Amino acid sequence: MLKTILAASVLAMPALAADTVILNARIHTMDAKDRIAEGLCIENGRITRVGSTAQARACITPGTRVIDAQGRLVLPGLIDSHMHALSGSLADTGIDFAAADTPEKLAAALQALKAASPGTGPIQARGWQNHLFGPKGPTAAELDAAFGDRIVLIESVDGHSTWYSTAALKAGGITAATQDPVPGSSFWERDAAGNPTGTAREGADADMARRLFAPTTAAYAAAFRRWLPRALESGLTGLFDAGMGAPDEASAYQLLAGMEAAGELPLRYFSSTANRSEADDPVARLLQLKARHGGRLLRPTAVKLFADGVPEGHTAYLLAAYKDKASFKGVPMMTDAHLDARITAAEKAGVPVHVHAIGGAAVRQVLDAVARARFAGLTGQRHAIAHMDLVDAADVPRFAKLNVVAQTSIQWATRDPSYDNIGRFVGTDVMEAAYPFKSLLASGAVQSFGTDWPAAAYLSTWKPLTQIEVAVTRRLPGRRDLPARNPQQALTVAQAVRALTFGSAYQLGVERELGSLEVGKRADLVMLDRDIFTVDPFTIAAGRSLLTMVDGRVVWQAP
């Protein structure tokens, strides 16, 4: 539904100089009234006027940069509310195992990886699809058949499991005598005799990858710099990194702070600290980082916690038993007491927590913990539950009531190959009811979207327009031939855009600066190559930004 175009007599507007003016655009401001404008003025990185083309033209002085949008769509900058940009950049090289979604494609990908890795040294890759293997995951023997006695380690597409060759298991000292860190939650898949078969779930392999491959901060920096132009072309102006490492947390912050100081960080980077153990203090660490990094772009923001894992590894914490494991619902990764302590400490320190929770029981556990904090009078922070794939209908209204942001990777809400695979573990009825975005919005909850890149159930992407298309179609991008997944929960384009603009800004506590194009806010915006409100929805994901602006500065422009 088209909104009323902002219009008023330019004669009624005071004279106003601007360093940048956009004219002849279709600007979806995403303000509280969803108003549409034609032009806007920018001075010193902030929006000073939003209105008609004539009103924006009145801001032009001899030194003004004038951008004629020629009728193109302009949106607030798109903000990914949950991804892993540094690790994703490093993984975004070489062979794309995420695209190997059949046994034949996987075999070809393994041979391509072998051909691209001459010699006898260790090999590392990422992205194997869970649906290609049984409940116990891939085996070392399968890697040995392709690579012989070389050390090979390949992480799954969701990042919660790792596939090892026999040589890698030996190099890591993994034997039948190796203890599982947390049985049922962090463990090695084993045969009947107790021998590890080649798949590690969650953190069972501890720091083996780091010991075997030792990636350097320089390698992360180079990969991140290669990725940034593509991120800006996709329309991203900001992101929340929900797990910092380059290769460790301290190095990641040092890298990003150095880039910002050198003027090499082109987008807003909201960052986190991770909960390492019960003895760890991620809240104190975040406060130290906030005091040290008070820059314009790098902003330490939230504490990252894990309530559970993923269904494919039987590490998600479910409300009902797994279909293939009688009476087993999974094991929570945090006790109620530990979770309460973290939320209480975060509230008192004035920082939010951002909690990974996929299973319905994990989502409920986090909501219960927040409810206890609210009852105790701790109401200052807007915490977020990340992913919340299998949230139960009874818990949907609690997000708004408790002011908990529903953060989701919307691009997973399709009937992709992972749909039937995960359905074997949790039930098809549970899978079909997953991702109830429309119900969440109707209940008054704030919804934000983030890709979790490079992690995925199936579709691994950092691109926000892909998320918007899936939110609207509930199908894989461009696949109108597929049946929609629970189409009653499909969103409008405006609702999906709001989740990637205002919703993300609200989650990150910066909605007064970002998330909409209004006077006084930061001039973060994108001009797209198509009007995603009017084109065939199955072509939205194919779009890109022609102009990406952060703080009024053009950081990407199509050649």
Side-chain angles (χ1 to χ4, degrees):
M1 177 178 173
L2 297 179
K3 309 298 188 299
T4 302
I5 294 178
L6 296 174
S9 170
V10 69
L11 297 177
M13 302 290 288
L16 193 66
D19 50 49
T20 303
V21 167
I22 297 178
L23 307 173
N24 303 314
R26 184 161 183 81
I27 303 170
H28 278 254
T29 64
M30 304 310 296
D31 66 7
K33 295 183 178 179
D34 280 347
R35 291 179 290 185
I36 296 175
E38 297 172 330
L40 59 78
C41 306
I42 301 167
E43 177 72 13
N44 293 326
R46 292 190 180 272
I47 299 169
T48 56
R49 178 173 291 171
V50 182
S52 66
T53 286
Q55 290 170 340
R57 197 181 296 279
C59 300
I60 297 173
T61 64
T64 301
R65 175 178 183 172
V66 179
I67 300 172
D68 185 348
Q70 299 179 3
R72 299 222 180 252
L73 175 67
V74 172
L75 295 174
L78 302 174
I79 306 170
D80 190 299
S81 62
H82 181 116
M83 68 154 57
H84 308 276
L86 292 173
S87 60
S89 300
L90 191 67
D92 190 38
T93 58
I95 311 305
D96 185 6
F97 275 88
D101 57 0
T102 67
E104 295 74 20
K105 290 180 182 178
L106 176 62
L110 291 172
Q111 289 305 311
L113 179 62
K114 182 177 181 180
S117 310
T120 59
I123 300 173
Q124 185 177 22
R126 189 187 190 286
W128 53 269
Q129 294 284 353
N130 287 280
H131 71 270
L132 298 178
F133 303 97
K136 295 182 73 67
T139 66
E142 291 168 288
L143 278 184
D144 297 345
F147 295 94
D149 61 358
R150 289 184 72 175
I151 294 174
V152 184
L153 179 158
I154 307 178
E155 193 175 24
S156 63
V157 70
D158 57 21
H160 288 257
S161 299
T162 310
W163 184 11
Y164 286 87
S165 66
T166 297
L169 292 174
K170 289 180 179 178
I174 305 302
T175 68
T178 300
Q179 297 295 308
D180 291 333
V182 184
S185 177
S186 176
F187 58 93
W188 290 91
E189 296 286 1
R190 301 172 187 269
D191 61 19
N195 299 300
T197 54
T199 296
R201 303 297 189 186
E202 304 299 341
D205 47 352
D207 61 348
M208 277 181 59
R210 188 175 300 173
R211 288 190 286 111
L212 292 174
F213 297 93
T216 64
T217 301
Y220 278 95
F224 184 54
R225 287 187 171 97
R226 286 194 300 270
W227 173 74
L228 279 170
R230 290 183 288 162
L232 299 170
E233 184 179 8
S234 75
L236 281 177
T237 61
L239 62 91
F240 172 65
D241 195 320
M244 307 282 285
D248 53 44
E249 189 175 276
S251 298
Y253 276 97
Q254 185 176 10
L255 165 61
L256 293 166
M259 290 183 66
E260 180 172 19
E264 298 174 345
L265 187 62
L267 46 64
R268 301 189 191 279
Y269 208 109
F270 300 91
S271 56
S272 62
T273 55
N275 183 65
R276 297 166 178 164
S277 67
E278 290 200 26
D280 186 33
D281 193 346
V283 173
R285 209 161 59 249
L286 186 72
L287 291 178
Q288 293 169 359
L289 289 165
K290 285 172 73 71
R292 193 178 310 146
H293 302 294
R296 181 173 52 90
L297 298 174
L298 176 58
R299 301 189 187 188
T301 299
V303 172
K304 171 72 180 298
L305 308 177
F306 279 89
D308 71 344
V310 294
E312 301 94 316
H314 297 99
T315 57
Y317 183 31
L318 307 180
L319 289 169
Y322 280 90
K323 299 300 181 182
D324 60 334
K325 281 196 171 186
S327 303
F328 182 71
K329 299 180 181 180
V331 179
M333 289 187 173
M334 301 182 76
T335 64
D336 287 347
H338 186 193
L339 188 55
D340 286 346
R342 286 287 178 262
I343 291 176
T344 297
E347 281 278 357
K348 291 181 176 179
V351 297
V353 297
H354 186 93
V355 192
H356 168 114
I358 285 183
V363 173
R364 184 168 294 173
Q365 181 191 26
V366 179
L367 289 170
D368 287 347
V370 175
R372 288 191 290 271
R374 300 293 189 239
F375 184 77
L378 301 173
T379 60
Q381 296 304 306
R382 54 184 69 148
H383 307 297
I385 297 181
H387 315 313
M388 28 81 67
D389 303 37
L390 308 180
V391 57
D392 189 74
D395 291 316
V396 166
R398 302 180 70 196
F399 284 82
K401 181 180 179 181
L402 297 170
N403 193 21
V404 172
V405 176
Q407 190 288 321
T408 315
S409 298
I410 179 65
Q411 76 277 6
W412 302 343
T414 69
R415 290 192 179 184
D416 57 43
S418 72
Y419 178 89
D420 290 331
N421 180 52
I422 300 175
R424 290 186 298 153
F425 301 113
V426 304
T428 302
D429 56 335
V430 173
M431 284 297 290
E432 188 66 12
Y435 310 113
F437 307 129
K438 192 170 184 179
S439 296
L440 282 160
L441 289 177
S443 74
V446 173
Q447 175 80 67
S448 71
F449 288 158
T451 56
D452 199 19
W453 182 72
Y458 173 77
L459 177 59
S460 178
T461 181
W462 69 80
K463 297 181 179 180
L465 294 185
T466 298
Q467 295 180 81
I468 293 172
E469 178 175 323
V470 174
V472 174
T473 67
R474 304 283 289 201
R475 296 172 173 90
L476 286 170
R479 295 295 304 275
R480 67 175 75 247
D481 58 306
L482 296 177
R485 179 174 177 177
N486 197 1
Q488 293 80 11
Q489 293 293 332
L491 301 183
T492 65
V493 172
Q495 288 171 324
V497 170
R498 180 168 291 278
L500 277 159
T501 53
F502 177 83
S504 294
Y506 183 87
Q507 173 192 309
L508 299 168
V510 292
E511 74 277 9
R512 293 185 179 181
E513 296 181 70
L514 306 170
S516 61
L517 299 176
E518 301 181 71
V519 171
K521 286 195 171 186
R522 295 283 183 184
D524 290 16
L525 57 85
V526 294
M527 181 188 302
L528 300 183
D529 67 350
R530 64 199 64 197
D531 187 340
I532 61 175
F533 291 87
T534 60
V535 298
D536 178 349
F538 289 96
T539 67
I540 291 175
R544 66 183 184 122
S545 174
L546 299 177
L547 180 79
T548 303
M549 187 176 286
V550 175
D551 258 352
R553 182 169 67 94
V554 175
V555 294
W556 159 262
Q557 188 165 4

